[in-house]
Amino acid sequence: MTTKNTFEELQIIPLRSELLFTLIGRVSPPQEIGMVPSGQRRIIPVEGGEFKGPKLRGTVLPGGADWMLVRVDGVVQPDVRLTLQTDDGQLIYMRYGGIRHGPPEVMERLARGELVDSAEYYFRITPQFETASLKYAWLNKIIAVGIGDRLKTGPIYYVYEIL
């Protein structure tokens, strides 16, 4: 193995990904906690949803929530915990943080529940998974990222496994 001593000698390794699933969530109206030291805190209960991908599919069970923070600079930080149930009955714990931001007028439209083209704002998540299922144990060992979109009824995420 040769040692590479300069940036010029390095070979760029492209980031590869594969669609894990698309998730469509349904949420309840937010519980407004109010202004806390780090920004505006709201809790958004998850009513349910569904997910579908090439390796797994199923439902989002009710009972999760997003402990969302809207920072003083207007950036939204989701803090979500969900339980996924696969179509073959296995349970998967999914948690994710992320970032959503855009021009103030776009973020105001989102806050009012208006439909906004996802190209007008940045919405990314970093999911992590835990399961006791042997069939889906591979989820415990992957890195995933997601691209989000916001509808009136809840979020849509396109979640990718980083290969």
Side-chain angles (χ1 to χ4, degrees):
M1 181 171 154
T2 57
T3 304
K4 297 180 188 222
N5 295 317
T6 66
F7 283 107
E8 291 76 22
E9 295 175 292
L10 297 176
Q11 179 180 356
I12 301 296
I13 300 171
L15 186 65
R16 296 182 312 119
S17 66
E18 179 177 280
L19 181 67
L20 189 57
F21 56 75
T22 300
L23 184 147
I24 300 172
R26 290 186 314 279
V27 297
S28 298
Q31 302 163 5
E32 297 290 344
I33 303 301
M35 187 58 74
V36 299
S38 51
Q40 183 78 22
R41 176 72 66 188
R42 61 179 56 117
I43 300 170
I44 305 164
V46 173
E47 293 178 357
E50 58 189 354
F51 63 96
K52 182 178 178 182
K55 296 180 186 176
L56 68 164
R57 66 179 62 206
T59 58
V60 178
L61 298 179
D66 181 353
W67 286 263
M68 179 184 288
L69 179 69
V70 181
R71 299 185 332 203
V72 294
D73 63 358
V75 172
V76 175
Q77 290 183 298
D79 178 9
V80 179
R81 295 165 186 91
L82 303 171
T83 303
L84 307 178
Q85 184 172 31
T86 61
D87 59 355
D88 56 357
Q90 301 299 301
L91 297 177
I92 301 166
Y93 169 57
M94 176 180 174
R95 70 177 183 275
Y96 60 88
I99 295 284
R100 186 175 77 200
H101 65 83
E105 61 278 2
V106 171
M107 299 306 285
E108 289 167 12
R109 289 170 39 215
L110 281 170
R112 290 192 300 267
E114 295 179 24
L115 292 179
V116 177
D117 184 335
S118 62
E120 294 186 57
Y121 60 99
Y122 182 90
F123 190 5
R124 304 292 186 268
I125 62 168
T126 55
Q128 294 179 303
F129 304 96
E130 292 179 9
T131 185
S133 167
L134 294 177
K135 180 176 181 181
Y136 299 104
W138 56 272
L139 288 167
N140 296 324
K141 302 181 249 181
I142 68 166
I143 298 291
V145 296
I147 299 170
D149 195 0
R150 184 74 173 88
L151 302 177
K152 286 184 178 186
T153 56
I156 297 177
Y157 295 113
Y158 305 94
V159 178
Y160 295 86
E161 175 183 3
I162 302 301
L163 303 174

